[in-house]
Amino acid sequence: MTDFRRIVLTGASSGIGAALAAELAGPDREILLVGRNAARLEAVGDLLRMKGTRVDTATLSVTDTDGMARLLADYDALGPVDLVIANAGISGGLSGRDRPEPEGLGRAQVETNLLGVLNTVEPLLEPMMARKAGRFVLISSMAAIRPQPDLPSYSASKAGVRAYGIALRGWLRPLGVGVTVVCPGFVTSPMSARHGGFKPFEMSAERAARIILSGARRGRSSVIFPLPLALLAWGANLLPPAISERLERVFAARIEPG
């Protein structure tokens, strides 16, 4: 089982990101926390420092291609990164059953959720390949397995993350670099709180973080949880669309943008 020492974590200021940071903390760890909310990011950093972790923080959006490239290149130059968790993401959804997503929200989700992952991964690809070591953990979603009618752009962006991660994994495995693609279901977080509909098998961010990191440390290719929801998602893909979509519309909900 691999124990990671120098880590990059995006979307670290709340939700799964903050829980992952807490789970990774320790006196032998060095962690770069990246997020958009400076106050919350520093609060997470302070908690990690209390556990003896060496912490750097960067208030930066993952959509900033040049900024991310400089930040990650500089951090890796000071010491080889062996774990990258591309977790930053935003949610969205329909304004109502007969109303589309607010203008620009769909593009914002693709830019953050998908292009933000590329901005997190690409600057560290060549250094990790040269060392033949390290692991990327890409946080996708159960919505990538079964896209949801009330989350069209979110589903598309996370499906892109899943596809990118699967392809990246096949390319990098022979080169000594690992990739873990994570598809969580509903996890208690500010993002999840904006979903007003049915949230089956919802779990705490702390439990989700433990599951994700256990999979990464074991070198798992994919981590999909919770299993009952995954079975429902896979099963829905086997049904005729007219039936599966009718069932999904029953549970579809208005999403508060954020």
Side-chain angles (χ1 to χ4, degrees), residues 112-169:
T112 299
N113 299 352
L114 178 54
L115 299 185
V117 168
L118 270 67
N119 290 340
T120 304
V121 169
E122 288 181 341
L124 294 172
L125 274 173
E126 290 192 6
M128 284 189 171
M129 289 164 61
R131 294 190 290 265
K132 299 185 184 300
R135 177 164 293 272
F136 293 101
V137 175
L138 311 188
I139 308 298
S140 179
S141 169
M142 198 75 74
I145 297 173
R146 178 64 190 183
Q148 294 301 297
D150 53 346
L151 299 167
S153 299
Y154 180 81
S155 297
S157 67
K158 290 297 189 177
V161 172
R162 180 170 180 256
Y164 177 63
I166 291 171
L168 201 66
R169 187 176 67 208

Side-chain angles (χ1 to χ4, degrees), residues 14 37 77 131 144 164 178 231 233 247:
S14 65
N37 187 302
R131 294 190 290 265
Y164 177 63
L231 293 174
L247 292 171

